[in-house]
Amino acid sequence: MNDIPLAVGWIQTGTGMGNDLKTLIFTVAIPVMCGAFVLIVGWKTKAPGPTIMAVIFAAIVWGGSANMDTLKNKTTDDITHYDGTTRIGGDQ
C-alpha cells in the first residue's frame, strides 16, 4: 500500500496565499502606511522639521522593504564571511 500525503494540496495552497500576501504587503501596504505616516505627522505637527524627518524615516523603511532580497543576500554573505573560518588581522 502506498502512503499518500494528504496535506500536499493544502501546503501548495498556503504557499500560494503566502506569496500573494507577501507581495501585497511589500508592494501596497508598506508604501501606503509610509505615506499615511508622513501625512499624519505633517498634519499633527504642522512643522517642517518633524515632517522632513518622517519623510526620511518612511523612505528608509520603504527602501529597506523594497530591497529585501538584496539585504538578505548581504546578511548571508556577512554570516558566511564571519563564520569563524576567516581571520581578520587584529580580530582576536
Side-chain angles (χ1 to χ4, degrees):
M1 184 171 196
N2 295 332
D3 292 332
I4 299 172
L6 299 176
V8 171
W10 288 105
I11 291 171
Q12 290 174 347
T13 301
T15 301
M17 287 175 49
N19 289 337
D20 291 343
L21 185 62
K22 183 179 82 169
T23 302
L24 183 65
I25 288 171
F26 284 117
T27 58
V28 177
I30 291 176
V32 167
M33 288 174 26
C34 287
F37 175 70
V38 171
L39 290 174
I40 291 169
V41 168
W43 180 262
K44 290 287 189 180
T45 62
K46 293 184 176 48
T51 306
I52 292 171
M53 291 307 295
V55 168
I56 292 170
F57 182 68
I60 291 170
V61 170
W62 192 350
S65 69
N67 296 314
M68 194 64 72
D69 291 332
T70 304
L71 295 174
K72 178 188 70 148
N73 292 338
K74 177 65 176 142
T75 304
T76 303
D77 291 344
D78 289 346
I79 291 171
T80 303
H81 182 71
Y82 291 108
D83 66 354
T85 59
T86 304
R87 284 263 181 197
I88 298 174
D91 187 21
Q92 298 177 4

